[in-house]
Amino acid sequence: MISTNVTGLINMTQKRDEGGRGDIINIGSIAGREGYPGGSIYCATKAAVRVFTEALRKELVATRIRVMEIDPGQVETEFSMVRFGGDKAKANAVYRQVFSC
């Protein structure tokens, strides 16, 4: 998770054209702002995305490169199946707690 969410982001961002222009859009998560039990490493990686994006935005403020982050809330994906080792009942329970309103 650290390799993908942090190291991969940094490596791809460093590939930008120094004299260029455009947009850098990083995908964070609300989990990078508010941790949850059992998600400490995921939350930490998304917090790193948030702080990295903020710092990069400040570094590039005088350029024609815009830096932004999108922080989705909880979305039902295969992530919970991976998180719970394929246990579908546990994975579904995560979303049942949120979407039961």
Side-chain angles (χ1 to χ4, degrees):
M1 205 174 308
I2 292 170
S3 292
T4 301
N5 291 351
V6 181
T7 308
L9 170 68
I10 292 168
N11 289 339
M12 291 305 295
T13 304
Q14 300 308 307
K15 302 273 184 210
R16 70 183 186 280
D17 179 10
E18 289 298 326
R21 64 181 192 167
D23 300 327
I24 295 173
I25 304 170
N26 295 331
I27 306 300
S29 171
I30 195 69
R33 299 176 184 273
E34 181 71 31
Y36 61 86
S40 58
I41 296 187
Y42 178 76
C43 294
T45 66
K46 291 305 185 174
V49 170
R50 181 172 52 88
V51 175
F52 176 77
T53 301
E54 289 174 3
L56 187 61
R57 182 180 304 118
K58 291 173 183 174
E59 291 172 9
L60 297 175
V61 73
T63 71
R64 294 175 58 174
I65 300 173
R66 298 184 304 177
V67 181
M68 59 207 88
E69 177 184 8
I70 298 172
D71 287 339
Q74 190 174 34
V75 177
E76 187 172 353
T77 67
E78 71 282 350
F79 177 75
S80 287
M81 286 291 287
V82 172
R83 177 179 170 205
F84 293 112
D87 187 327
K88 190 160 181 62
K90 283 185 180 179
N92 288 341
V94 170
Y95 304 105
R96 204 170 17 257
Q97 293 170 6
V98 174
F99 299 127
S100 63
C101 302

